[in-house]
Structure formats: C-alpha cells, structure tokens
Amino acid sequence: MTASNTPVNDATEDRYSVLVSEAASARRIRVIKNVLLYTFLIVCALAVLFPFYWMILTSLKTQGAYNAEVTPKFFTLEPTLANYTEAFTAVPLARYFLNTFFFTAVTTLAMMVVIVLAAFAFARMSFPGRNIVFSLFLSLMMIPNELVVITNYVTITSWNMRNTFLGLILPSITSVFYIYLLKENFEQIPEELYKAAKVDGTSDFKYLLRVMLPISKPTLVTITILKVIECWNSYVWPRLITDDKNYYLVSNGIQEIRQNGFGRDNIPAMMAAVVVISVPLVILFLLFRNKIMEGVSRGGTKG
Amino acid sequence: MKQNKYKGWLYLLPAILFLGVFMVYPLIDVVVYSFEEGFSFVTQTKVGTGLYNFRYVLHDTYFVQALKNTFIIVIITVPFSTALALLISLALSSIKPLRNMFQTIYFLPYVTNTLAVGLVFMVLFKKTEYSDGMVNLLIKAFGGEAVDFIDGPYWAKMFVMCLYTIWIVLPFKILILTSALASVKEDYYKAARVDGTRPARIFFRITLPMISPMIFYLIITGFIGAFKAYSDEVALFGTDLNAAGMNTMVGYVYDMLYGNSGGYPSFASAAALILFAVVFTITCINLMASKKNVHY
C-alpha cells in the first residue's frame, strides 16, 4: 500500500485521503492497543504489589485502629512504629534473625567449598571412574527432597543433633545441581591455561584458587545468591529438626507467632514482624536484580 | 604420577560423603521403611514385612483428602498461572518504556519468604473476632455476606489457596517466558510483516511454536512444584492441615513423621513413595506430550 503508483487524475485525491484516514486509524488503533496493554500491566502490577502495601500499611496502624475499621482504610494518617517494638520485644525476633543469618552464612559457605571442589574434579581432573560418578550425580538431580527427608530426620535424631545448628546445616550442604552448573562454567575456561599452569608446576589447588575461581566469579555470585534465598526461606527441615525456640529460623518464628504468639489477636504487630522478615531479601533483590533474575532463569525453581 | 591418578577422588570426597549420607542412603532407606510393618520409632522394632503401609495410607481418609486437594491445586493453578504468565509476558514484550520497572515488580514475590507473605494473604481473607479482614469488609461494604476464607467453607479455602499459589508461582513463569519471547529472532517477524501476515496468525504460527519448548518446560516444572505444595498451605491455614481439611500429599508425609500425629516413618515413607510415583508418572506423560507438540 504505497503512494508511489499514483496516476494524476481525480482518483488521486480520493486515494490520498483514504491513505491519510487509514494512517490516522492505524495510529488510533496503536494508541488504543497501548492503553489496553498498559492498563493490563498496571492492574497486574497492583495485584502483585497490593499484599506488600497492605502488610506495610497494617504494620503502621495501631491495633485498635485496625480492629475498629468497618470499611477498610487504604492509608493511615497516624502511622506508628509501636508494632515494631512489640514484634521485637514480645518474641525473640532478633534471635530468630541471628539464627537465620548464621544458618544461611555457614550453609552457603560450606556448600560453596564442597561444590567448587567437586566441580573442579569433574571439569579438569582425570581419574578412573569420573564419567560414571558424574552420571550418578546427575541422576540424583531427579530425587525430590521429600523422599529423603524422612530418613534424614531419623539420622539427625539418632545423632542427637536435634536443636543444633549442625543438624540444621548438614543435610543442605551439597547440591548436585549447583555442582553441575559450576562444572559447565569451569569447562568453558580454556584448558590451555590449565596445561600451562601444570607445565609451570602450579599445583591443582593453587590453580583452582588463583585462576578458576576469579574467572568464574559471576557464576559463583549467582549460586551464592540463589542459595542465600533458599536458606532464608527454608521452613520444612528447620521445623522438623527444631522445637527449641532458641534455634528457630525466621520462617518457624513467624509460624510460631501466628499460632501461639501475638499473631492471634494483634494483627498489626504480626504484620510488622512479616515486614522485618521480608526486608532483607527485598534489599538483596534490589541490589542484585539482574544477577538474581539471570540466575533464576538459568535454573532455579522455587523449592 | 600414581598418587596423582586418584587425586580427583580427593576433591570429590566431601560431595560424595554428603550425598551418600543424606541422599543415597535415605533413598534406599525410604524403600526399606515403607515395607516394614508396624515399625516403632522408640523401640526400633518391626512386626513384619509387606505392603500393609501402602494399604493403610491409601485407605486413610486424611490421605485421600490430601490427594484430592493436591490434584485440585494442580489442575487449577498450573494452567491458569501458565496462561496468565504468557499473557503478561506477551504484553511486556510489546512495550518498551517502563518495561524494566514492570519486570522488577512482577519478580518481587519470588524473593519473599513464603511463610511470611502467606500470613498477609491470611490476614486479608481471615475473619477473626476482632476484625473481619479487608476482603470481608469490602464484601460487606458492597452488601454481600462475609465468608471466612480461612476457617470457613471448603471452596472458599480452596479459592484463597489457589490464588496464593498462583501469586507465588507467577514470577518464575513470567521471567522464563519473557526471556523466551526475547530470544525469538526478529527476522521471522520482519518476514511475516512483509508478507502482511495478521497478528493472530503471527502468534500461532511463529511465536507460539518458537517458545513451545519453554512453555512445556514450565508446565512440567509447574506440575512437579504444585504436587509438592506444602509451605503455602501452612502459611495460610497453620500447621494442623488435617484439621483444616487442606492437607496436601507432602503435608501428609510430614504429619506422619512429626508433630501431634507423627512418629510413623513407615507410613510417611509409603506416602512419599506414592507421591513420587504420581509425580513421576505425570512427568513422563508430560514429556511424551511435549515430544509430540514441541516444534523447534
């Protein structure tokens, strides 16, 4: 539909006006399309954000004001921080926080050591049985956690490790998937580097530390972040293995608050606790947005 | 050189040790447990060997309820969340301004603590003696009858359950689908536009076939994830899911193991194996269906 083939006669005028009106209607359609698109996206975004908004809003209301609402109030003119004080004083929320922090740090660190060593062995070293072991590792990826948790519970109990950090940490130190991810990454580093280092008499371990790790930093950071998210959110295993509040993680802490603590009557205070628990991960996310999204799309399903 | 030959094993040792103790051994053990009849935690003794545990679990009303709940959650949330994620991703990929902002917002639920945010949904829907909760206040404001979505009728509870599940699983699906859509080569669209192909036809003949592998990947992982639903339910309905009538298969396993109704590792193992068999079967069916329908 080009205007190039226009003979000079009366029809040209008509043709031209048709083209103009067609262009105008095309523009109108585009505008309508954009309005619809953005409306849809905004409605969805509001649906995603609303629970966050409601949780922050409620945490700023006083208990009395919240309970007295007949029609829900979507803003508050008298924000109060009293709920936050309540959340930290009525239950050992700070303690749950420290526990989770410690658990997350140690688990992630220990896992990094284990998987780096294993991935290096698979990627660069040759030893009898390597391929068979690697296939066995891969087949373990299919095993759901639910299947092994029963025996692990029995094992940790029989080792008298209930209500200890060791009991919490030990079963989540290895991840076959991350070994696989890291091995793939290690293999992309030119093998010539390794051979050159060998000729120079550099030991395997030194090479791993000085060359492989710095080059693979992006993948290492991605894995670390994914593991931190997983640890921060873990609920099932800590619930099985701890019933002493001194060892509760935040997930178990908040569940305890809800069922036996102030969560039953003081909803604003419970929301304050929820805000406090959610904030660290949201900050982490805003700081490492691209890393996290890239890492998750490369292989994280919410466990 | 001889000692170097086995050095690789040294590097693997920690991983093998941990995987052996916490994955391979439990895998064998869970099968053993499931066939040991009347095994007692305290005395570490069993009565006999056989299929009794499986029979017991399959006849347990709580298990049947859990099975039913799990299937409802799977059947509702997987298609609905995948379709919604596809719609959002399509909308996202056809805009430029503010796209990053929308992507960030949509991803937020992924990085939240499931237990904590579940409580927000509970608060929104729950009717307590102090406050009816936002949703019920709105219903009443529009002249409706307040419903307790957390302790009330089954369909109300299931509604909140599915809503929360979809809210939680959307971010991952949107992320995967937007990057799948971005990787479709621009040349195809250009060629189609030159030919004057209609948008609907472009979608069904180019876009959908090109991203079909990712859609199937999402459906398969979605099925697996939904079958293993558990912490979302705890967040909404508390730890006593059997009493709430909202237990899931994974929840049943854990309840058999621990808590007020716990102490039966044999029943738990049998239930876990049944769960695994179901998930495995469904995944195989999905894989076969995807082989037939995925175009590269």
Side-chain angles (χ1 to χ4, degrees):
Chain A
M1 218 168 274
T2 50
S4 57
N5 53 344
T6 46
V8 188
N9 53 23
D10 288 350
T12 318
E13 283 284 283
D14 287 353
R15 203 55 197 278
Y16 182 69
S17 63
V18 166
L19 275 179
V20 166
S21 74
E22 256 183 23
S25 73
R27 202 179 311 127
R28 208 176 310 129
I29 288 174
R30 211 180 313 128
V31 169
I32 293 173
K33 199 185 129 200
N34 269 333
V35 168
L36 286 178
L37 271 178
Y38 277 97
T39 317
F40 172 67
L41 286 173
I42 288 171
V43 167
C44 290
L46 288 179
V48 168
L49 286 179
F50 184 73
F52 292 106
Y53 176 69
W54 191 254
M55 125 187 142
I56 295 169
L57 176 71
T58 309
S59 76
L60 297 173
K61 291 174 178 172
T62 63
Q63 193 185 349
Y66 175 80
N67 289 343
E69 282 177 20
V70 180
T71 47
K73 293 195 173 60
F74 291 94
F75 58 91
T76 176
L77 294 175
E78 292 148 342
T80 168
L81 289 176
N83 295 314
Y84 288 89
T85 352
E86 166 82 10
F88 274 100
T89 48
V91 290
L93 195 58
R95 171 103 214 192
Y96 302 158
F97 241 90
L98 281 179
N99 287 346
T100 315
F101 192 77
F102 182 72
F103 165 76
T104 304
V106 175
T107 309
T108 309
L109 212 70
M111 185 199 78
M112 288 319 272
V113 173
V114 172
I115 67 164
V116 162
L117 290 177
F120 181 68
F122 281 133
R124 277 293 168 266
M125 305 174 95
S126 56
F127 52 91
R130 184 178 80 164
N131 292 336
I132 298 172
V133 178
F134 187 63
S135 328
L136 285 178
F137 268 49
L138 283 187
S139 62
L140 283 182
M141 274 211 283
M142 300 201 323
I143 305 305
N145 201 27
E146 288 71 22
L147 220 47
V148 298
V149 108
I150 301 164
T151 307
N152 285 345
Y153 171 73
V154 178
T155 308
I156 292 293
T157 309
S158 68
W159 288 355
N160 279 327
M161 279 193 191
R162 295 203 62 206
N163 291 318
T164 62
F165 278 110
L166 219 52
L168 277 174
I169 292 166
L170 282 180
S172 34
I173 281 184
T174 19
S175 156
V176 181
F177 176 71
Y178 292 144
I179 292 177
Y180 168 76
L181 204 68
L182 204 55
K183 178 216 171 220
E184 298 279 292
N185 195 262
F186 280 169
E187 275 176 345
Q188 282 167 12
I189 299 167
E191 192 155 12
E192 285 74 27
L193 280 177
Y194 182 58
K195 287 191 177 134
K198 279 255 138 158
V199 172
D200 288 349
T202 318
S203 75
D204 281 334
F205 190 68
K206 217 171 186 178
Y207 173 75
L208 170 66
L209 228 54
R210 296 272 166 83
V211 182
M212 295 284 251
L213 289 190
I215 295 180
S216 317
K217 207 174 141 201
T219 308
L220 292 173
V221 171
T222 303
I223 294 176
T224 307
I225 295 172
L226 290 180
K227 186 69 178 177
V228 165
I229 296 179
E230 183 196 317
C231 285
W232 193 268
N233 288 336
S234 58
Y235 167 70
V236 169
W237 180 249
R239 184 196 157 204
L240 290 176
I241 229 63
T242 58
D243 48 20
D244 179 350
K245 279 185 196 171
N246 284 324
Y247 293 95
Y248 272 2
L249 304 188
V250 283
S251 297
N252 312 84
I254 195 73
Q255 191 54 37
E256 177 68 18
I257 289 172
R258 173 247 171 102
Q259 276 183 309
N260 304 314
F262 54 74
R264 287 189 301 181
D265 46 10
N266 193 349
I267 283 170
M270 182 169 73
M271 287 297 104
V274 169
V275 171
V276 171
I277 288 170
S278 308
V279 158
L281 279 191
V282 172
I283 290 175
L284 191 77
F285 170 58
L286 294 178
L287 286 178
F288 297 99
R289 198 185 75 99
N290 291 329
K291 276 242 150 300
I292 291 179
M293 288 173 73
E294 180 211 309
V296 170
S297 68
R298 264 169 73 187
T301 43
K302 193 144 187 166
Chain B
M1 268 325 251
K2 198 162 184 286
Q3 72 192 115
N4 266 358
K5 214 173 134 192
Y6 290 95
K7 220 168 113 190
W9 284 97
L10 196 69
Y11 281 70
L12 274 183
L13 194 66
I16 290 178
L17 219 66
F18 279 110
L19 287 175
V21 175
F22 293 112
M23 254 192 130
V24 180
Y25 161 68
L27 213 55
I28 302 161
D29 201 43
V30 78
V31 179
V32 174
Y33 266 137
S34 70
F35 288 107
E36 286 180 345
E37 292 176 356
F39 177 80
S40 155
F41 239 148
V42 190
T43 56
Q44 298 277 322
T45 54
K46 57 170 181 164
V47 178
T49 313
L51 289 169
Y52 172 74
N53 296 320
F54 291 94
R55 270 205 306 277
Y56 176 88
V57 167
L58 285 172
H59 286 103
D60 188 351
T61 45
Y62 283 142
F63 184 78
V64 176
Q65 176 74 52
L67 198 67
K68 184 183 153 205
N69 290 338
T70 310
F71 269 95
I72 293 177
I73 291 171
V74 168
I75 285 165
I76 293 178
T77 61
V78 175
F80 196 79
S81 62
T82 313
L84 189 59
L86 184 59
L87 269 182
I88 292 177
S89 310
L90 283 171
L92 267 180
S93 58
S94 48
I95 63 162
K96 271 228 169 69
L98 299 180
R99 189 168 153 184
N100 261 338
M101 188 198 79
F102 278 121
Q103 273 183 315
T104 310
I105 292 175
Y106 292 145
F107 196 71
L108 260 184
Y110 188 92
V111 287
T112 52
N113 188 309
T114 330
L115 259 303
V117 180
L119 290 188
V120 182
F121 274 77
M122 197 246 332
V123 165
L124 283 170
F125 284 96
K126 189 168 171 64
K127 211 174 128 185
T128 64
E129 51 217 275
Y130 310 101
S131 169
D132 280 359
M134 193 212 79
V135 172
N136 272 319
L137 288 177
L138 278 183
I139 292 177
K140 278 207 274 186
F142 286 103
E145 190 80 24
V147 180
D148 192 338
F149 285 91
I150 303 297
D151 278 327
Y154 180 73
W155 62 265
K157 288 190 278 196
M158 198 39 102
F159 170 77
V160 180
M161 189 59 254
C162 291
L163 187 75
Y164 182 49
T165 308
I166 291 169
W167 190 85
I168 280 288
V169 298
L170 265 184
F172 178 68
K173 301 190 174 189
I174 294 174
L175 178 73
I176 297 292
L177 287 178
T178 34
S179 53
L181 284 171
S183 67
V184 178
K185 280 209 192 77
E186 192 58 29
D187 299 1
Y188 294 118
Y189 292 129
K190 276 186 191 150
R193 233 173 280 136
V194 169
D195 291 346
T197 318
R198 271 175 295 112
R201 204 176 153 82
I202 292 181
F203 175 72
F204 284 109
R205 288 300 163 84
I206 299 176
T207 316
L208 209 53
M210 291 302 283
I211 62 169
S212 59
M214 273 311 167
I215 293 182
F216 267 97
Y217 168 67
L218 285 183
I219 290 176
I220 290 170
T221 52
F223 265 105
I224 296 175
F227 267 113
K228 298 207 262 178
Y230 173 57
S231 354
D232 309 348
E233 283 70 10
V234 173
L236 290 174
F237 306 107
T239 42
D240 199 353
L241 288 170
N242 277 336
M246 291 306 290
N247 214 347
T248 61
M249 288 167 79
V250 171
Y252 182 86
V253 172
Y254 293 139
D255 285 347
M256 271 298 168
L257 190 60
Y258 179 73
N260 298 332
S261 55
Y264 303 100
S266 302
F267 292 149
S269 302
L273 283 173
I274 293 172
L275 168 71
F276 183 63
V278 171
V279 173
F280 190 75
T281 315
I282 302 271
T283 308
C284 285
I285 294 172
N286 275 334
L287 282 175
M288 280 192 297
S290 76
K291 277 235 174 72
K292 264 194 194 146
N293 294 306
V294 168
H295 310 279
Y296 291 97

